[in-house]
Structures are given as structure tokens and as C-alpha cells.
Amino acid sequence: MNAEILAVGTELLLGQIVNTNAQFIASELALLGIGVLFQGVVGDNRKRMEEAISIASNRSDILILTGGLGPTDDDLTREVIAQFFNKQLILEPDLLKQLESFFAGRGRQMPPNNRKQAMRIEGAQILANPRGTAPGQYLALPSKHVFLLPGPPSEMRPMFVESVIPILRSLFPNQTIQSRILRIVGIGESAMEEKVRDILDAQTNPTIAPYASEGECSLRITAKADTDARAWELITPVEQQLMERLSRYVYGRDTDTLPRVVGRELTQKGLTLAVAESCTGGLLGEYLTDAPGSSSFFIGGCITYSNEMKQQLLNVSSQTLKAYGAVSEQCATEMAIGLHNRTNADVCVSITGIAGPDGGTAEKPVGLVYICVYFNGQTYARELHLRGDRNQIRIRAAKQALQLLWRVITGTLETQS
Ligand code: ATP
Ligand code: MG
């Protein structure tokens, strides 16, 4: 079976909003092992919606629509689907009561327009929407499965997880799909693939898919089987094989992120962390505070953009700035030490560099960045030559600093290749 996603909304066509619903649904379907062969976007227009639905229902088994379930006149999805499949719209008294109490709970009277949200397509199953007014609908037709989901992601996503996934799973009762993701840093995607090429090529179940994202990559091992236990029996030996080759680069699994892994490590060891950032302007601090619970290790930081702030807050010496400049290993090192002296944090990370697009010279080009980690009376500094635009250089600098931090606190720096 394959699925097609059809996002409804003129705002999408005009580029006023990004179609994140399609991205979310596509990635969830991939996890379920359901192929998506087409995605579409259509405006709030009856005729063009019919056209899009007609094409999609001819070529796809599962049709997932988002948007256009609201109360206003341009919210047409329910009506158009009912008409296209020759179904009546039936007023559901229970839904009407729910809607009225949704409004009552907010101290308001239900506007008459919202009545149409209590209309169920004949033969369809209602998908609850506790976070909004538009319930979803699931219409099972002979060899066709149609889902109508609300547009707002805050309503659509939980509905997808709570209602749609269980239905899709029940369509394949004797099949489960499990996957394990290995999260990898410090090696590029192609170098990683080279190291495990033979393992990748040898597998059909589980399959292994490499992915690259900014500053890191991953391997997803996916097995199909009749039971969860059997799927894991397929995954585990392959995971072990991959780990034998790549363990040095694997920082985590599944939903782990490098900041979270670093945070866990620091918390376990009872260490505190502070950061001093120049060209990244607080980005490293943002990454580190992304996860709840970061206050158990992260105490704060300084954004020292100017030389004066580096001197005043971090005690970087004027000789260093004169002799080597602010973008230098010496400055990065003094920033980390200065931060430790100032805050007494166990671990201190500093970043200084040229993010561009201006400010580069032949000697110090755009993308030259120094990072340093202070820990246990030692400093570990690195010179980076980063590529990309300003934004990419900042992201990459912060991620490299995270990586160095991870290596230092896990004691895995010495053997770094
Ligand atoms: P409502 O009851 O809010 O009108 P609806 O089901 O009719 O819900 P739309 O009117 O199509 O949905 O969209 C409402 C809002 O949901 C949009 O303004 C937009 O913020 C968000 N939205 C809609 N479609 C998408 C999409 N494909 N991706 C991301 N956001 C979306
Ligand atoms: Mg709407």
C-alpha cells in the first residue's frame, strides 16, 4: 500500500506558511514502512480540490488530507470529499454537544458556523480532537483509505499519533516495523558509509539507511517482522556489527541529541558547565538549554563580542589581543580559563571566530574559528576551518564545540583520528 498526502490551503500556495504537516506525516509514514509516492498542495477551491482528490484517489491507496476542516466558508475539505465519494453529510448530535461544551469551557457561545464541524461523512469514523474544534475523519472504502485531518499542526500531530497510526497499524495486523537510529558525529557521511559499505549492501531486512544533517549523520536500521520481538532479533546483530566499526563516532541512539547526551554525562558526573561565545552569539548556550533539566548542569555564559567585553568579563589580556588578535587559539584559551576563574564552573567552553560574510583577511579568512574546552586545569583548543554562509558557520562552530566538549568529558579525546 502506498500513501499520498494532500495539503489544502491557499496560504500554502502563496508561500505564507510552510507545509510542515506534509513533512511530519511523511516521516511518520516512513517509520511505519508505508511508502509515499506523491505529495500535493491545493488551494481552498472546490473545483481544483476535486481535481486533486480525483488524481490522488486513482493512484494511491491511502489518502491523507490536512486543512480545510474549519468553520468558515473557505473550509471545504469535508464537503468536497463527501461529494466526491457520493456520501451524505450527517449531523452528529454528540459532536455538536462536544463543540458546544468546547466553547462553553472557554466562556463563549458557539458561533452558528461551527455547526458544520459536527457533520460526519456517511460511513466515516470520527477522530477526536481534544485540542481544537475540528474533529478528524477516517473513511474506509473498498481498497481505499481516506483521512481528513485539521490544518493546525498542534491539533494534527497528536491526532495523527493517537488516532491515525493505530488505524494504519491495524491495516497490517501481522506486520510490525521497528527501527534503531545510531547518531554519529566526527565523521562525514561518505567516510562513514565507506567504513560499513559491505554491511549496508548485505542487508535487505533489516534495511540500513544513512542520513546526513548539519554537522552530524545517522544510520537508521529498520526491520519488518510479524512481531516486535522478532524485529529486534533482526536489528540487534546488525547494530552490533555497525558498532564494532563506528562506536568511536556514535554518541547516542534513537531520539538522543548531542546536547542531551552531553547534559546527561555532565549531570551524572555532577559537573557544571559555562560557555563564552563570540561569533556564535549564544547559539551554543541555546543548544545546551534546549532540553528540560539543563539547569542541573548549565550555569550560564557570556556573549563577549567585542574585545573590551572579552577583557572585562573574561580577563583576556590586551597583549594577547594585540599580538594574536581576538580570533586566535590564545584568545580562545584565555576566554575558557577566564570564564572558569570568573564562574568556577567545572567545564568551560569558548568560541571565537569569523562568521562572515565580511571581516575575513588572507591570513584569517571567513570560517576560521577557534574553540577551547577547559576541564580539570587543562585546556583543549582546536582550530577550525569551516565552510558555508554566516548561518552555517555559526551552527557548525557551535556543534564542533559541543563535540569537543563531549570528547573531553567522556575522556575519548586522545584517540581522536
Ligand atoms: P481551522 O479550524 O483553524 O480553520 P483547518 O482545518 O480549517 O483549521 P486551515 O484553515 O487549512 O485548517 O489552516 C489553519 C492553520 O493551520 C493555518 O493558518 C496554518 O497556520 C496551519 N496549517 C494549515 N495547513 C498546514 C500545513 N500543511 N502545514 C503547516 N501548517 C498548516
Ligand atoms: Mg480553516
Side-chain angles (χ1 to χ4, degrees), residues 7-9 11-12 17-22 66-71 75 117 133-134 149-153:
V8 179
E11 286 168 289
L12 291 159
I17 55 170
V18 178
N19 191 1
T20 58
N21 283 353
T66 76
L69 294 183
D75 290 312
Q117 293 186 305
T133 54
L149 306 177

Side-chain angles (χ1 to χ4, degrees), residues 102 106 128-132 159 162:
F102 180 93
R106 283 161 179 70
N129 182 4
R131 296 157 193 88
M159 186 184 291
E162 289 158 17

Side-chain angles (χ1 to χ4, degrees), residues 22-89:
Q23 188 209 4
F24 175 83
I25 295 171
S27 60
E28 291 294 320
L29 292 173
L31 284 176
L32 291 169
I34 297 173
V36 174
L37 302 184
F38 299 95
Q39 291 186 9
V41 176
V42 62
D44 304 299
N45 173 285
R46 196 178 286 272
K47 194 164 157 292
R48 290 189 282 275
M49 281 171 71
E50 266 168 21
E51 226 175 289
I53 291 162
S54 164
I55 295 169
S57 68
N58 271 328
R59 64 188 176 191
S60 304
D61 309 306
I62 301 168
L63 182 51
I64 302 177
L65 295 103
T66 76
L69 294 183
T72 62
D73 286 344
D74 65 355
D75 290 312
L76 298 165
T77 308
R78 208 182 294 99
E79 289 79 352
V80 175
I81 284 283
Q83 200 173 27
F84 183 83
F85 290 107
N86 273 320
K87 303 282 177 196
Q88 299 291 318
L89 281 169

